[in-house]
Amino acid sequence: EICVVDTQSVRIDRFGEDVGYTKRVLLIYDGIHYDPLQRKFPGKDTPPLTLFSSSDDVVLAQALELADEARRKRQFTDVNRFTLRCMVCQKGLTGQTEAREHARDSGHTNFGEV
């Protein structure tokens, strides 16, 4: 089972939950990137845990807490509302839709987040 924790909406999208998998992995999504969630054991010389039992709902609650903390700290990218600047002509843009349209119309593809 794959669980994707969205930091902007603080929700979990579950894939394969109806298949009967016994293990799950968790990914955190910040609007652009997916990163694996892992549990580290302080003071122990063991690798971090990245594969969890699919019946472990505590880990899902912990993942939601982590996502909520990231949301409160605004550690996500809202691709529909972020502010961009075309680094070629310096035109200001809002969101990925305007950036795509500008790239299509002008041929410019170098953007920076403002």
Side-chain angles (χ1 to χ4, degrees):
E1 179 178 328
I2 299 171
C3 296
V4 178
V5 186
D6 185 301
T7 56
Q8 186 176 356
S9 64
V10 189
R11 76 167 190 271
I12 297 178
D13 295 318
R14 296 170 70 169
F15 302 91
E17 67 181 309
D18 56 344
V19 179
Y21 295 121
T22 60
K23 300 290 182 188
R24 81 168 43 121
V25 295
L26 291 100
L27 302 172
I28 192 158
Y29 178 63
D30 68 2
I32 295 181
H33 300 105
Y34 292 88
D35 293 302
L37 287 179
Q38 59 185 8
R39 180 179 287 153
K40 292 184 180 180
F41 301 98
K44 293 188 178 182
D45 195 24
T46 58
L49 184 63
T50 56
L51 193 59
F52 304 90
S53 168
S54 59
S55 63
D56 184 357
D57 291 335
V58 172
V59 75
L60 294 178
Q62 291 170 332
L64 284 172
E65 287 175 19
L66 183 67
D68 190 46
E69 180 180 335
R71 182 193 54 77
R72 282 184 272 118
K73 292 180 178 178
R74 301 208 42 86
Q75 294 175 335
F76 62 86
T77 302
D78 184 343
V79 295
N80 295 311
R81 290 189 254 169
F82 65 163
T83 305
L84 297 170
R85 180 164 311 283
C86 175
M87 303 308 284
V88 177
C89 69
Q90 303 305 309
K91 180 176 182 175
L93 305 161
T94 301
Q96 66 182 352
T97 302
E98 282 188 19
R100 265 191 298 232
E101 289 171 357
H102 181 70
R104 183 192 65 228
D105 297 343
S106 68
H108 301 164
T109 57
N110 187 9
F111 302 99
E113 193 170 355
V114 179

